[in-house]
Amino acid sequence: MRIAMDGMGGDKAPKAPVEAAMRAIKQFPNLEITIVGNEADIRQYISDDTRISVIHTTEKIEDTDTPTTAVRRKKDSSMVLAIKEVKEGRADAVISAGNTGALMTAGLLHVGRIKGIDRPALAPMLPTLDGKGFLLLDVGANMDAKSEHLFQYAVMGHIYMQMVKKRKTPRVGLLNVGTEEGKGNELTKQAFPLLQEGNFHFIGNVEARDLLTGVGDVIVCDGFSGNLVLKSTEGAGRSLFSLIKTELMSSLFSKLVAGLLKSSFLRVKAKMDYSEYGGAALFGLKAPVIKSHGSSDSTAFYETIVQAKDMVEEHVVTTIQSELVKYEQQRSKGEL
């Protein structure tokens, strides 16, 4: 198995992705990694190039670039070349911490959609209080969605959580303003009966306030709502830890208490740390395309590599496609 990595995307590139690649190679004997970027910059961090190869380029898609224009004009950028490794069959999955819009555009253009998927969904794992996390689809790939899209998100999320995260019966919920059936806008009202027909465990509507308690394993919504949830969760987490740190450093007594509770605080922080959950997969493409957080360190990149490896090994893409075909056949026969 080979995974391609954009070695120039993200705030901590190329050091963080290279260190993650070396760790992954040591951990998984059947894994090979191709890193795309400025070879001189990349190789200064490679202490062992066993099963690690480098494709040299100096062109990079910046975060400020317009996604569609950048993908078309910067054909030799590290992101586009990494994705082309998948397109041309030299890699099984691709990872980048670069421009999210450009990654989605390049993924659609060069990798293509799974048959039966109208629109891909960007789906990160978000933390829960029990440390297990939940999958949120969509967080911004499509700001406007139709009920059929939410159903497709549910199918993809169910398969991912079952096959990669090993949840035997993933609970699928519909993000809404209330838990009662019939709540919400036209989108959620139309999506609810569709989700009830699915070959997965649909638990009904769920509210945003319950997400971190682990109310569901897969939560589906339109990209606008999902992005608000994502940014709110990240912002609240940062603000809370900043507030706690300020209070604990406010006096000598507080500092003494902080010293005694340091291990407890570290455990809480680890449980709520996005880097422990991997990246945001672009579900619905013909191969795993995964977006790492822009500020990903080597740990976050490593977890994303593991995520990509598991998606390939568990044949997530082909399973999604077969499940959608099966569902359409059942609907055409009037069995649903």
Side-chain angles (χ1 to χ4, degrees):
M1 179 195 309
R2 181 175 289 275
I3 294 173
M5 297 184 72
D6 173 7
M8 300 176 77
D11 300 336
K12 299 177 181 178
K15 187 174 186 289
V18 172
E19 289 179 347
M22 288 191 296
R23 179 182 170 187
I25 290 299
K26 291 178 182 178
Q27 186 68 28
F28 306 109
N30 67 331
L31 181 64
E32 298 179 359
I33 295 177
T34 297
I35 305 174
V36 186
N38 189 307
E39 187 165 8
D41 292 343
I42 290 170
R43 290 207 175 273
Q44 66 177 316
Y45 298 109
I46 296 179
S47 56
D48 181 2
D49 61 0
T50 304
R51 288 176 279 118
I52 293 180
S53 59
V54 179
I55 295 176
H56 175 69
T57 185
T58 57
E59 192 167 52
K60 174 186 176 182
I61 292 179
E62 305 289 346
D63 289 339
T64 54
D65 286 342
T66 302
T68 303
T69 303
V71 169
R72 289 177 177 172
R73 292 182 178 177
K74 295 185 175 182
K75 296 180 180 180
D76 291 326
S77 64
S78 56
M79 180 187 292
V80 172
L81 291 179
I83 288 180
K84 283 186 176 179
E85 288 297 292
V86 174
K87 176 186 178 181
E88 296 169 9
R90 292 185 293 273
D92 302 291
V94 63
I95 295 168
S96 175
N99 185 310
T100 303
L103 185 66
M104 291 190 291
T105 300
L108 283 167
L109 181 64
H110 296 295
V111 177
R113 293 195 306 269
I114 294 173
K115 184 179 180 180
I117 295 294
D118 297 320
R119 295 183 182 181
L122 189 63
M125 285 288 294
L126 295 183
T128 54
L129 297 179
D130 61 7
K132 294 181 178 179
F134 71 96
L135 187 70
L136 181 64
L137 305 90
D138 170 37
V139 299
N142 305 288
M143 292 301 170
D144 297 308
K146 296 179 180 179
S147 56
E148 292 83 1
H149 301 154
L150 298 192
F151 176 83
Q152 293 168 9
Y153 299 168
V155 171
M156 294 188 290
H158 164 79
I159 290 171
Y160 176 80
M161 293 301 285
Q162 193 173 63
M163 301 184 74
V164 175
K165 296 300 181 179
K166 307 303 180 184
R167 311 270 173 99
K168 186 176 181 181
T169 309
R171 299 159 298 158
V172 179
L174 174 63
L175 185 65
N176 211 329
V177 295
T179 58
E180 303 87 354
E181 184 175 351
K183 281 277 189 175
N185 55 19
E186 286 303 310
L187 173 62
T188 56
K189 290 176 182 177
Q190 292 172 10
F192 194 97
L194 278 182
L195 294 170
Q196 286 180 312
E197 295 178 354
N199 187 27
F200 44 77
H201 179 37
F202 179 54
I203 60 173
N205 294 322
V206 297
E207 295 187 70
R209 66 183 180 186
D210 297 322
L211 296 179
L212 298 188
T213 66
V215 65
D217 300 297
V218 178
I219 307 299
V220 298
C221 59
D222 63 273
F224 183 83
S225 302
N227 196 267
L228 291 176
V229 170
L230 175 67
K231 298 295 174 59
S232 297
T233 302
E234 290 180 344
R238 285 197 298 266
S239 299
L240 179 60
F241 283 114
S242 177
L243 180 62
I244 292 174
K245 183 177 180 180
T246 299
E247 287 297 320
L248 291 177
M249 295 295 106
S250 62
S251 67
L252 178 60
F253 177 75
S254 296
K255 291 179 181 179
L256 292 174
V257 172
L260 294 172
L261 297 176
K262 183 178 179 180
S263 59
S264 297
F265 286 128
L266 289 176
R267 285 195 297 271
V268 171
K269 186 176 181 180
K271 189 178 289 186
M272 303 302 288
D273 187 358
Y274 72 88
S275 67
E276 300 294 329
Y277 294 87
L282 192 55
F283 285 96
L285 299 184
K286 293 179 180 178
V289 176
I290 305 179
K291 170 67 172 67
S292 288
H293 199 286
S295 60
S296 290
D297 57 14
S298 61
T299 299
F301 272 110
Y302 173 78
E303 293 298 333
T304 307
I305 292 171
V306 174
Q307 179 185 6
K309 180 189 74 70
D310 290 344
M311 289 184 71
V312 174
E313 289 181 341
E314 297 297 338
H315 307 288
V316 169
V317 171
T318 53
T319 304
I320 288 172
Q321 187 165 348
S322 63
E323 283 297 314
L324 288 171
V325 169
K326 189 186 304 180
Y327 173 78
E328 288 301 325
Q329 289 174 343
Q330 289 176 315
R331 290 197 72 178
S332 64
K333 293 178 181 178
E335 296 175 0
L336 292 176

